[in-house]
């Protein structure tokens, strides 16, 4: 399979920890023995810290987005360092560079590209553009919930949902630089528009990621540990 992943900064770089990058890189190298991979890394807490500081210093939203993009690219560089020779050595800075890099037999890692979105949207767009078989969103929550599970005890996890339901849910989400939401609204729309098979999962332990990929190897799963977003109303 060709798999595109939006690797949330919260999963990879909560705090900067070389062991975390190495552990994740080892899992990704294992997966790459069977599958072609393109990873888009998020900015995590550091992106948020930089953006907060820039806002307080008077920067506008687009200027803050550019700062966020820089941090996502720094995380991509750290991940490339952890992957070593299995990684494509450069961080693509746009979709066409990503397409060229994906022609190689290396694991491609990149960050953000444009203001007004997050790395989820970059990964969703690349999934469609490069015809990925599967789009994975490893994050720090084990799927999509009716409400924020960190805030409400009544939050219920969706085992599956349609892309249209996902778009409905994303309508009220903020696009402000550094805002925290399960998946950004631009990404939701791209998932719907592109008919991309998508799974949101708990990426804190890479074993969960490996298990879900193994499940998909036998064909599209009906259920897994995360939330499966089906392209249309099935
Ligand atoms: P992230 O992709 O890390 O945001 O981008 P996120 O998904 O909310 O956070 P984590 O990493 O999963 O915890 C960080 C910020 O960088 C800017 C936005 O301001 C975003 O909030 N950004 C990122 C862009 O403007 N464009 C991009 O293509 C990517």
């Amino acid at each position: 399979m060709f798999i595109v992943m939006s690797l949330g900064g919260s999963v990879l770089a909560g705090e900067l920890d070389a062991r975390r990058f190495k552990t994740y890189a080892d899992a990704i190298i294992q997966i790459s023995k069977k599958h072609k991979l393109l990873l888009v890394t998020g900015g995590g807490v550091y992106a948020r810290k930089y953006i907060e500081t820039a806002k307080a210093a008077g920067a506008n939203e687009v200027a803050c987005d550019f700062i966020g993009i820089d941090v996502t690219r720094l995380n991509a560089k750290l991940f490339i360092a952890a992957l070593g020779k299995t990684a494509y050595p450069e961080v693509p800075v746009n979709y066409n560079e990503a397409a060229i890099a994906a022609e190689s037999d290396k694991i491609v890692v990149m960050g953000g590209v444009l203001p007004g979105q997050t790395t989820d949207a970059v990964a969703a767009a690349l999934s469609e553009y490069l015809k990925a078989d599967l789009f994975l969103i490893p994050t720090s929550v084990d799927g999509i919930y009716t409400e924020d599970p960190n805030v409400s005890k009544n939050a219920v996890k969706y085992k599956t949902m349609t892309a249209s339901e996902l778009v409905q849910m994303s309508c009220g989400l903020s696009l402000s630089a550094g805002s925290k939401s399960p998946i950004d609204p631009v990404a939701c729309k791209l998932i719907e528009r592109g008919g991309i098979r998508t799974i949101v999962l708990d990426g804190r332990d890479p074993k969960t990621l490996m298990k879900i990929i193994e499940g998909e190897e036998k064909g599209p799963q009906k259920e897994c540990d995360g939330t499966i977003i089906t392209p249309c109303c099935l």
Side-chain angles (χ1 to χ4, degrees):
M1 285 187 287
F2 175 32
I3 304 171
V4 172
M5 257 184 242
S6 176
L7 208 46
S10 51
V11 166
L12 203 57
E15 283 302 325
L16 287 184
D17 177 2
R19 279 169 310 176
R20 181 81 190 135
F21 277 86
K22 273 309 232 184
T23 307
Y24 233 98
D26 288 346
I28 292 294
I29 290 168
Q30 278 304 320
I31 297 167
S32 76
K33 290 182 180 157
K34 280 171 105 177
H35 304 285
K36 184 169 180 59
L37 296 177
L38 189 155
L39 313 180
V40 186
T41 51
V45 285
Y46 285 93
R48 255 172 230 116
K49 280 183 190 170
Y50 268 93
I51 287 169
E52 271 166 30
T53 311
K55 270 188 189 164
N60 65 28
E61 290 284 336
V62 174
C64 289
D65 281 339
F66 277 122
I67 289 171
I69 291 168
D70 285 341
V71 180
T72 63
R73 288 178 180 162
L74 280 177
N75 281 338
K77 285 185 180 174
L78 284 178
F79 203 57
I80 288 171
L83 285 169
K85 285 199 168 118
T86 52
Y88 189 78
E90 290 292 326
V91 175
V93 295
N94 59 48
Y95 298 142
N96 287 332
E97 282 190 18
I100 293 165
E103 290 294 313
S104 72
D105 58 357
K106 304 282 186 184
I107 302 167
V108 179
V109 190
M110 66 187 288
V113 293
L114 283 175
Q117 58 177 31
T118 74
T119 43
D120 290 339
V122 175
L126 284 169
S127 298
E128 182 184 0
Y129 187 38
L130 304 181
K131 300 186 176 68
D133 301 296
L134 182 62
F135 174 32
L136 296 177
I137 309 182
T139 176
S140 52
V141 187
D142 66 347
I144 298 178
Y145 282 75
T146 49
E147 305 169 69
D148 184 346
N150 297 314
V151 176
S152 169
K153 280 188 182 157
N154 299 323
V156 179
K157 187 171 119 178
Y158 290 97
K159 286 185 175 165
T160 63
M161 71 195 305
T162 65
S164 316
E165 285 169 334
L166 180 73
V167 168
Q168 283 285 318
M169 187 176 226
S170 73
C171 283
L173 297 176
S174 164
L175 263 177
S176 176
S179 73
K180 228 179 161 352
S181 53
I183 314 183
D184 90 60
V186 180
C188 296
K189 206 64 202 148
L190 288 167
I191 290 168
E192 184 193 38
R193 194 186 76 168
I196 306 160
R197 181 167 172 82
T198 304
I199 303 178
V200 179
L201 62 121
D202 187 346
R204 286 170 295 188
D205 181 352
K207 286 197 191 104
T208 312
L209 174 67
M210 294 169 99
K211 195 174 147 206
I212 286 178
I213 292 174
E214 272 168 29
E216 286 289 302
E217 284 168 0
K218 298 164 203 138
Q221 305 167 93
K222 290 228 159 63
E223 258 185 46
C224 69
D225 283 346
T227 298
I228 298 172
I229 299 155
T230 52
C232 58
C233 307
L234 294 176

